[in-house]
Amino acid sequence: MGGQEGAGVHSKLSCFADMLPALVWTALPDGQVDFLNRRWCEFTGLSLEDARGSGWQTAIYPDDLPQLLGWWRSVLDSGEPSEAETRIRHSNGKYRWFLVCVNPLHDAAEQVVKWYGVNTDIEARKRSEEALRLARTQILDGIPALVAVLTPAGEVEQVNGSVLEYFGRMPEELRGSGTADLVHPDDLPNVIAAWSGAVETGRPYEIESRHRRADGVYRWFRINGFPLRDREGCIVCWYVIQTDVDDRKRAELLLADEKRFLEMLARGCSFSVILDALCRLVEDTAGGCYSSVVLVDPSGARLEHGAAPSLPPSFITSIIGRPVNVDSGPCAMAAYLNEQVIAADLTSETRWAAYEWCPMALAHGLRACWSTPISSSAGKVLGAFAIYYDEPRTPTPSQQSLIEQFSHIASIAIERAQSDAVLKGSEARKAAILDSALDCIVTIDHEGCITEFNPAAERTFGHRRDDVIGKQLADVIIPMALRERHRQGFSRFLATGEARLLGKRLEATALRADGSEFPAELTITRIPVEGPPSFTGYLRDLTDRKRSEEELRRSEAFLAKAQLLSSTGSFSWRVATGEITWSQAVYRIFEFDPNVRVTLELIASRVHPEDMPMMYDMLESAQQGRNFEYEHRLQLPDRSVKYLHLVAHATRDQSGVLEYIGAVQDVTQRRISEEALGEVRSELAHMQRVTSLGALTASIAHEVNQPLSGIITNASTCLRMLAADPPNVEGALETARRTIRDGHRASDVIRRLRALFAKKGVFIESMDLNQATEEVIALSRGDLQRKRVVLRPELAVDLPPVTGDRVQLQQVVLNLLMNASDAMSGIEDRPRQLVIRTERDEGDGVRLSVQDTGVGLEPQDVDRVFKPFYTTKSDGMGIGLSVSRSIIERHHGRLWAAPNDGPGATFFFSIPCAAEAPYHTPDPNGVRNPDVSDTVSAARTANG
């Protein structure tokens, strides 16, 4: 019955296993599989008979089988539950990932009697993990550092391309724990300790260590490890980032070495010892080289020995005493030229043959030499620093940096040694330094007694040096209220060495001999001498500076008041962030609440709609970092208008952020005044034209009478021809045409007179300056002939057109012609000759000049003649040239005068060929729009 019952149970378990949605199997204690469920057989396509025993292994992915069998043997040995991942072949030939979980069944004696296993399909999970791994790989490869992913146990799971490239190894070589040999042996214990501590605490860690590159070179890295935890807080993996800090570490080491050498100097170490140590440091740092320092003797003519710890004595002897020139060797050449000399390969070097330097160096096994001059802070050559190699070599950029650093240290050492030698040889120099110091220099010993009190201190404190030497410092220059605090601090330093104030710049109150106190700036340093400590105090009277600071504060207050009175405010604008800061005055000008945050949109809400293009132009200038200056209008909520003048300059802070600092001024009252002034100028210019035309009355009458006489004569002739028998129709037609021509001539004269006489606005056009000049000449020719003036026009044939107001420019030409004519009215001993000339000017401009042979100009009158109401004529008003200069300047040109080499003077004006056309936009409130061309608009008003 027992056998039948067991068989029944086994049958039921088999049926149950066949119903499970997983691959289920059992094995005997020795690991031989004795049962696989139907799902297992259907998935693999193997029958139960084929799969029993070890037949199931044919369904396992070949690359996974060795590892899976090793795992299975370890499970059988341990008798404990376990799990593994492997790929199993489907009946269609494709492999899928499964999680294999196995549990033992024990009898009463705790012996394994059966193994039960379940294979769960994890293909989807593995695909997700692979996609995640690929994504992580892309992220890691994008990081500009060496990045590794470690398991919680510290095994390498994944690395980025930078790691593979740096170490020159394949991913398989780095997996596991095979990275210890890549860490410098001296750093490995610290790295292991840091990692162990991180694993124990689960906290991020940081350490610096040297790692070996593929070429065998070690470089310093800063290692940062960060744990990644799951939702339960368990560490899933470690991300380790290795950042190359080799350059920084080398710089730190060099800085430490430099500090060590400076400390050696400060301690008074032997000059030869310092140079010898420097050469040894160069050899240790650069590796595989020999280093030396040679000095230039006091005469500057020959080389002296400095240091060469590793070079043969015979080589050193052959160098010492050589002349400082370009022929005796690389060190002498470098010192002579004060520039680096590189001899990369001495076997092919042809320099220094006269002194046979290269054969001598080659005989000592040297193949390359890099010599660098050692110069003082004043630029004087003190010697040369040389590096030798036993093979051809050219310095790399990093080696050049080392050479520069060591040359600098050598320069400090040599210069300091020379200075010390001079200083030690002359106590008078010490006295001179103390006597010439502008600041007070006071030294005290370890008991606080004064040991030195220089003349500046005598003048500042009012004590004689001999009276205070040996006295307590506190009793001489420290106010009574501060003396106890000074004594406590001094005692604390002597007892503990704590130096809170040493080397710091302090402000304190000092006491004069007359009992008055004054502010002082103080710096205390310890004197580096053996024995009990002593100190030097450098003190400067701040009375004048404090007074200046107070005056500056008052000036700032006055400035704020002046801004208020002048309706001027200031602002700043950070373009990148849009941060805008206004002064209170700007808020008042724009009539905004000071608590409102200022934005460009808020500003735009106040800008007059017709001036918005200027705001856009300002924003474009700001984006390009250009300075800008504008005048525009504000339109306030009540429809009133304000005129603003804005100036801003671009600056950049230490981080390069662009910021504008500017000022805003309310110029409304000024613009109203300018409008009124423009009206006055307009009337003045019109009056000047009327005056000029009045002076030309006879000439104008002559110009009009000529065509009128022609009309009458031609009309009479026409009538006679028509009255003839037969009528002379052909002749009558010709005389009629001449009548029409003369009528047009008379009309043109009247038109030109009306244009000059009329009082109308500015009309800007492209015009021919020669043609406009000829029209003025035609109007004034009669008057000039009556005054016996010989006019000679010299008008350039290739003159380009100009842009301007024709009437205004003709007014200037007419004024210059009349002035020239008047200047020659009293001349009887020479021809009254007037030359009017047009020609191209420098750049893109046109120049017109009027030259006379009159009385000329005195040097002091060359500029004064253009001032309003200044005249050299008894009946002149003094407004013609002033108005003319105003017209020319508003055409973006200039008007000036110069005396001739002979008699007379010449007046010139020059205007651009393509001057911008002034424009303005009507203002809906009846106030003129302050656009870019307001200066030209003012000229329109001033000149009718």
Side-chain angles (χ1 to χ4, degrees):
M1 287 297 292
Q4 293 177 351
E5 290 177 358
V9 171
H10 181 75
S11 176
K12 290 180 181 180
L13 288 175
S14 297
C15 292
F16 176 74
D18 289 339
M19 295 173 61
L20 292 175
L23 279 60
V24 180
W25 53 275
T26 64
L28 299 175
D30 62 358
Q32 292 294 313
V33 174
D34 63 344
F35 170 76
L36 301 103
N37 72 342
R38 185 173 64 248
R39 171 83 60 178
W40 200 101
C41 295
E42 290 175 350
F43 180 85
T44 61
L46 297 176
S47 65
L48 182 61
E49 290 73 16
D50 293 338
R52 280 177 175 169
S54 59
W56 56 273
Q57 297 177 12
T58 61
I60 304 302
Y61 188 72
D63 291 348
D64 297 348
L65 184 59
Q67 185 177 358
L68 184 66
L69 292 177
W71 166 79
W72 182 227
R73 285 191 293 270
S74 67
V75 171
L76 295 175
D77 293 340
S78 68
E80 298 293 332
S82 184
E83 60 183 33
E85 292 182 357
T86 190
R87 285 168 284 188
I88 301 177
R89 187 184 66 240
H90 193 270
S91 59
N92 61 9
K94 296 182 178 180
Y95 288 90
R96 295 181 65 84
W97 279 97
F98 280 83
L99 175 66
V100 182
C101 298
V102 61
N103 275 287
L105 177 65
H106 298 89
D107 59 12
E110 292 300 322
Q111 297 295 317
V112 176
V113 296
K114 200 77 168 180
W115 289 95
Y116 292 95
V118 177
N119 299 352
T120 305
D121 191 324
I122 59 171
E123 179 69 21
R125 192 196 78 190
K126 295 294 284 187
R127 290 180 182 274
S128 299
E129 290 176 351
E130 178 62 18
L132 179 61
R133 188 189 67 81
L134 291 175
R136 186 168 65 181
T137 298
Q138 292 177 348
I139 294 174
L140 295 181
D141 286 342
I143 298 175
L146 278 61
V147 183
V149 181
L150 307 183
T151 66
E155 296 180 350
V156 177
E157 180 179 307
Q158 186 177 358
V159 296
N160 68 349
S162 298
V163 173
L164 301 178
E165 180 181 357
Y166 181 84
F167 293 110
R169 293 192 177 183
M170 300 301 292
E172 295 76 13
E173 298 178 90
L174 294 174
R175 289 196 175 99
S177 302
T179 59
D181 63 317
L182 301 176
V183 181
H184 195 284
D186 295 344
D187 301 336
L188 187 58
N190 293 334
V191 172
I192 294 175
W195 167 249
S196 301
V199 171
E200 182 179 350
T201 62
R203 295 177 181 175
Y205 72 96
E206 178 177 330
I207 190 173
E208 291 186 353
S209 61
R210 288 162 288 183
H211 292 190
R212 190 179 71 246
R213 200 166 55 193
D215 59 1
V217 175
Y218 284 94
R219 291 184 66 84
W220 280 98
F221 283 83
R222 185 181 69 248
I223 304 173
N224 295 93
F226 306 94
L228 177 65
R229 301 177 184 272
D230 58 18
R231 295 180 178 178
E232 287 74 28
C234 297
I235 295 178
V236 178
C237 65
W238 286 84
Y239 286 99
V240 179
I241 301 177
Q242 304 177 51
T243 305
D244 192 322
V245 295
D246 194 73
D247 292 339
R248 191 206 74 199
K249 291 289 288 187
R250 289 182 183 275
E252 289 175 351
L253 292 173
L254 286 175
L255 186 61
D257 291 330
E258 181 176 346
K259 181 180 179 182
R260 179 165 63 89
F261 283 114
L262 294 177
E263 289 174 349
M264 292 174 67
L265 284 170
R267 292 196 304 268
C269 290
S270 168
F271 178 48
S272 59
V273 171
I274 294 174
L275 291 183
D276 190 88
L278 175 62
C279 290
R280 294 185 185 279
L281 176 61
V282 173
E283 294 169 354
D284 293 340
T285 305
C289 69
Y290 310 95
S291 175
S292 73
V293 175
V294 295
L295 306 176
V296 176
D297 68 6
S299 68
R302 295 193 176 274
L303 297 179
E304 292 182 344
H305 178 61
S310 303
L311 288 170
S314 58
F315 178 79
I316 299 172
T317 303
S318 65
I319 293 178
I320 302 309
R322 288 185 177 239
V324 178
N325 57 32
V326 297
D327 298 321
S328 62
C331 288
M333 185 177 187
Y336 183 80
L337 299 177
N338 195 14
E339 63 183 37
Q340 190 179 54
V341 176
I342 301 297
D345 187 355
L346 297 181
T347 59
S348 59
E349 185 62 64
T350 59
R351 293 175 290 182
W352 318 302
Y355 286 80
E356 298 183 346
W357 188 90
C358 289
M360 181 272 298
L362 291 169
H364 287 87
L366 304 178
R367 295 293 181 270
C369 176
W370 311 337
S371 298
T372 304
I374 302 173
S375 301
S376 69
S377 56
K380 179 184 177 182
V381 177
L382 305 175
F385 168 73
I387 295 179
Y388 302 89
Y389 283 93
D390 54 11
E391 61 181 3
R393 293 284 289 270
T394 300
T396 64
S398 61
Q399 289 171 328
Q400 286 285 26
S401 178
L402 287 174
I403 291 171
E404 182 179 351
Q405 185 80 7
F406 289 125
S407 298
H408 174 66
I409 297 175
S411 170
I412 295 174
I414 298 172
E415 194 169 10
R416 176 68 177 271
Q418 292 179 350
S419 298
D420 287 348
V422 174
L423 187 60
K424 291 177 181 178
S426 175
E427 283 297 328
R429 181 171 181 177
K430 172 189 172 183
I433 293 173
L434 291 174
D435 292 346
S436 61
L438 298 177
D439 292 336
C440 304
I441 300 177
V442 181
T443 62
I444 60 173
D445 59 17
H446 64 287
E447 295 179 346
C449 295
I450 298 173
T451 58
E452 186 57 71
F453 203 77
N454 77 331
E458 290 183 314
R459 292 190 297 270
T460 300
F461 291 99
H463 293 287
R464 292 179 63 251
R465 178 180 181 277
D466 295 341
D467 294 339
V468 297
I469 294 296
K471 291 186 177 180
Q472 284 285 323
L473 176 72
D475 297 335
V476 176
I477 67 171
I478 297 178
M480 181 69 70
L482 303 175
R483 290 177 184 174
E484 185 58 31
R485 182 179 176 185
H486 163 76
R487 292 191 177 99
Q488 291 175 355
F490 193 70
S491 299
R492 181 172 59 250
F493 172 79
L494 294 177
T496 65
E498 180 184 357
R500 297 180 181 177
L501 305 182
L502 290 185
K504 297 180 180 179
R505 183 173 293 181
L506 312 169
E507 287 194 9
T509 302
L511 180 69
R512 292 191 179 92
D514 60 6
S516 62
E517 298 180 0
F518 64 95
E521 184 178 62
L522 173 66
T523 300
I524 304 172
T525 60
R526 180 173 176 173
I527 302 175
V529 295
E530 297 180 358
S534 57
F535 307 89
T536 300
Y538 302 89
L539 185 142
R540 179 177 299 167
D541 188 343
L542 295 182
T543 302
D544 292 339
R545 194 180 84 181
K546 292 293 186 180
R547 186 183 300 112
S548 299
E549 289 174 352
E550 178 60 27
E551 291 175 355
L552 179 60
R553 283 191 289 269
R554 287 171 54 84
S555 297
E556 290 174 348
F558 292 155
L559 177 60
K561 189 65 175 178
Q563 287 185 346
L564 177 63
L565 295 176
S566 63
S567 300
T568 302
S570 56
F571 69 90
S572 68
W573 174 26
R574 287 181 173 264
V575 178
T577 62
E579 178 185 354
I580 300 174
T581 304
W582 278 0
S583 67
Q584 292 295 321
V586 181
Y587 280 104
R588 285 194 297 270
I589 292 172
F590 277 78
E591 298 187 13
F592 282 133
D593 185 343
N595 297 320
V596 174
R597 181 175 175 268
V598 182
T599 63
L600 292 175
E601 292 77 11
L602 183 70
I603 296 172
S605 68
R606 282 285 197 266
V607 175
H608 196 287
E610 295 171 359
D611 292 346
M612 285 303 295
M614 270 185 284
M615 183 171 179
Y616 299 145
D617 185 60
M618 177 197 71
L619 294 176
E620 182 179 354
S621 297
Q623 293 299 329
Q624 298 176 5
R626 299 196 306 259
N627 299 339
F628 54 84
E629 180 174 0
Y630 293 92
E631 286 196 6
H632 67 86
R633 291 170 295 176
L634 299 182
Q635 188 176 64
L636 302 178
D638 62 358
R639 311 297 294 178
S640 62
V641 174
K642 285 185 178 181
Y643 297 79
L644 300 188
H645 184 194
L646 182 147
V647 180
H649 283 192
T651 61
R652 293 187 182 273
D653 60 17
Q654 294 179 346
S655 59
V657 176
L658 177 63
E659 181 177 14
Y660 278 90
I661 306 298
V664 177
Q665 184 179 21
D666 184 345
V667 294
T668 304
Q669 293 300 321
R670 190 194 77 188
R671 295 306 298 272
I672 293 174
S673 300
E674 287 176 352
E675 290 292 332
L677 178 61
E679 294 295 331
V680 174
R681 286 176 174 170
S682 175
E683 293 298 330
L684 187 62
H686 183 256
M687 180 181 68
Q688 196 268 338
R689 282 206 301 276
V690 172
T691 302
S692 299
L693 291 173
L696 292 175
T697 302
S699 179
I700 293 169
H702 175 73
E703 289 293 323
V704 175
N705 281 335
Q706 273 192 334
L708 289 180
S709 298
I711 291 171
I712 295 171
T713 302
N714 289 328
S716 299
T717 304
C718 182
L719 288 176
R720 287 198 305 272
M721 289 182 177
L722 291 175
D725 188 16
N728 186 354
V729 177
E730 289 281 338
L733 288 175
E734 179 59 31
T735 56
R737 292 189 189 98
R738 289 198 294 268
T739 302
I740 293 171
R741 181 199 64 193
D742 291 339
H744 284 316
R745 284 180 58 196
S747 176
D748 287 343
V749 173
I750 299 302
R751 178 182 58 79
R752 290 195 292 267
L753 288 173
R754 291 186 62 192
L756 284 171
F757 215 104
K759 186 177 182 181
K760 60 182 181 180
V762 177
F763 180 71
I764 301 302
E765 61 181 337
S766 178
M767 56 172 285
D768 185 342
L769 183 61
N770 281 347
Q771 187 182 56
T773 302
E774 288 170 346
E775 292 176 359
V776 174
I777 292 173
L779 284 176
S780 57
R781 182 177 284 111
D783 184 68
L784 294 175
Q785 291 175 353
R786 182 175 55 82
K787 295 181 178 179
R788 294 184 289 122
V789 174
V790 178
L791 174 64
R792 188 174 81 242
E794 296 180 1
L795 307 182
V797 295
D798 60 343
L799 203 65
V802 298
T803 301
D805 184 281
R806 187 183 194 89
V807 172
Q808 287 189 354
L809 293 178
Q810 285 182 324
Q811 177 182 344
V812 174
V813 176
L814 178 61
N815 181 263
L816 297 181
L817 286 177
M818 293 183 64
N819 285 349
S821 175
D822 292 343
M824 295 185 290
S825 60
I827 300 301
E828 300 294 344
D829 59 342
R830 58 182 177 272
R832 300 179 183 180
Q833 186 170 338
L834 189 153
V835 179
I836 182 167
R837 180 182 297 111
T838 59
E839 56 190 324
R840 285 181 176 269
D841 200 5
E842 295 179 357
D844 191 15
V846 170
R847 181 168 62 189
L848 182 143
S849 61
V850 176
Q851 179 180 354
D852 63 59
T853 58
V855 296
L857 287 174
E858 295 295 331
Q860 64 270 21
D861 291 335
V862 170
D863 291 322
R864 287 196 295 178
V865 293
F866 296 103
K867 293 183 179 179
F869 308 114
Y870 178 84
T871 180
T872 58
K873 295 185 274 189
S874 59
D875 57 348
M877 296 179 61
I879 62 172
L881 288 176
S882 174
V883 171
S884 295
R885 173 172 276 187
S886 176
I887 291 172
I888 295 301
E889 288 177 349
R890 281 155 179 78
H891 281 75
H892 308 289
R894 65 190 188 100
L895 172 65
W896 73 100
N900 296 336
D901 291 338
T906 303
F907 284 75
F908 307 83
F909 73 76
S910 174
I911 57 176
C913 291
E916 294 183 1
Y919 63 91
H920 75 274
T921 309
D923 189 304
N925 296 303
V927 183
R928 287 182 49 75
N929 178 19
D931 53 19
V932 178
S933 64
D934 252 18
T935 54
V936 178
S937 298
R940 297 176 182 171
T941 306
N943 296 287

